[in-house]
Amino acid sequence: MDAVFPHLQIPLILAITQPGVGMAAEATSWQKEQVSRAYVHALATQGGYTVSDWNVDKDGVDVTLRSRGLMVDIQLKCTQNPRTIRSGYSFDLDVETYDKLRDPERSAPGHLALLIVPPDIGRWVIHQQDSIVLACHGYWSSLYGMGHAPGGSTTAIHLPEHQELTVKAMGTMFEAARRMTNSTGLGLS
């Protein structure tokens, strides 16, 4: 685990694999999407939030979290090869999706979540005697109200290392949603 996530302070977990399982392989986009959804569902469940999955990514949104009338939209991305930069990660998001998520006319703030999984797909899920561990970690960035992309077909999104995608982070997203609805006069209090 230290070789995969050297910055995390987690206890060593013994993972037992079967021969032939755990071979390094590039995951398909649907496998990355599904593990990202599983990660968000697990966190939302722990936080007491409901999750809506969208079958069509028309508005740049893969999942919407709900809590007491507030909504938070999230675009999910997943990588086996994260691009690290000073104090975090960088992900090239297509400008069309970026523009949808940053749109100030949105009724829910738009976020990008980047899930980082081990290079070896066989290590994404670790089975233990009394639990299953998702061996991945995520980061997020709020795009709501951001400026125009500087040009090109993609724009680099900075996902700070301190903005881990956790249950607490989801609470922070809902606080932003509350401020947004109050400032636009939608009247949630």
Side-chain angles (χ1 to χ4, degrees):
M1 294 293 260
D2 291 343
V4 178
F5 307 117
H7 65 287
L8 296 179
Q9 299 292 325
I10 58 174
L12 177 63
I13 298 171
L14 176 63
I16 300 171
T17 59
Q18 300 171 351
V21 175
M23 303 285 289
E26 181 67 29
T28 63
S29 62
W30 74 264
Q31 289 171 309
K32 292 176 183 176
E33 181 179 340
Q34 292 304 309
V35 77
S36 299
R37 290 178 187 272
Y39 185 90
V40 168
H41 276 260
L43 294 179
T45 299
Q46 186 178 32
Y49 308 124
T50 57
V51 183
S52 294
D53 286 278
W54 300 102
N55 294 329
V56 177
D57 186 4
K58 180 174 172 276
D59 296 313
V61 176
D62 291 311
V63 295
T64 298
L65 305 178
R66 291 192 64 121
S67 177
R68 299 180 5 202
L70 293 172
M71 296 186 296
V72 170
D73 288 335
I74 303 175
Q75 168 68 219
L76 301 171
K77 296 295 181 185
C78 180
T79 182
Q80 293 171 278
N81 303 299
R83 187 171 67 232
T84 57
I85 59 171
R86 184 176 54 83
S87 71
Y89 300 93
S90 180
F91 184 85
D92 289 336
L93 183 66
D94 65 275
V95 171
E96 181 180 353
T97 301
Y98 173 77
D99 284 342
K100 290 175 181 175
L101 293 170
R102 72 178 188 86
D103 187 348
E105 299 295 317
R106 299 181 64 84
S107 62
H111 300 82
L112 173 68
L114 178 65
L115 189 71
I116 299 172
V117 292
D120 181 352
I121 191 172
R123 297 181 59 209
W124 289 12
V125 179
I126 299 170
H127 297 264
Q128 300 179 63
Q129 187 173 7
D130 59 351
S131 62
I132 292 177
V133 176
L134 288 178
C136 46
H137 55 114
Y139 299 87
W140 66 282
S141 183
S142 176
L143 302 185
Y144 176 74
M146 299 286 285
H148 291 277
S153 60
T154 64
T155 187
I157 306 298
H158 179 225
L159 299 114
E161 190 174 60
H162 69 273
Q163 286 192 185
E164 292 180 281
L165 184 58
T166 62
V167 173
K168 184 178 179 182
M170 289 179 172
T172 300
M173 292 176 187
F174 278 110
E175 289 172 19
R178 180 173 306 283
R179 286 192 303 274
M180 186 182 101
T181 55
N182 288 340
S183 69
T184 58
L186 294 177
L188 291 173
S189 60

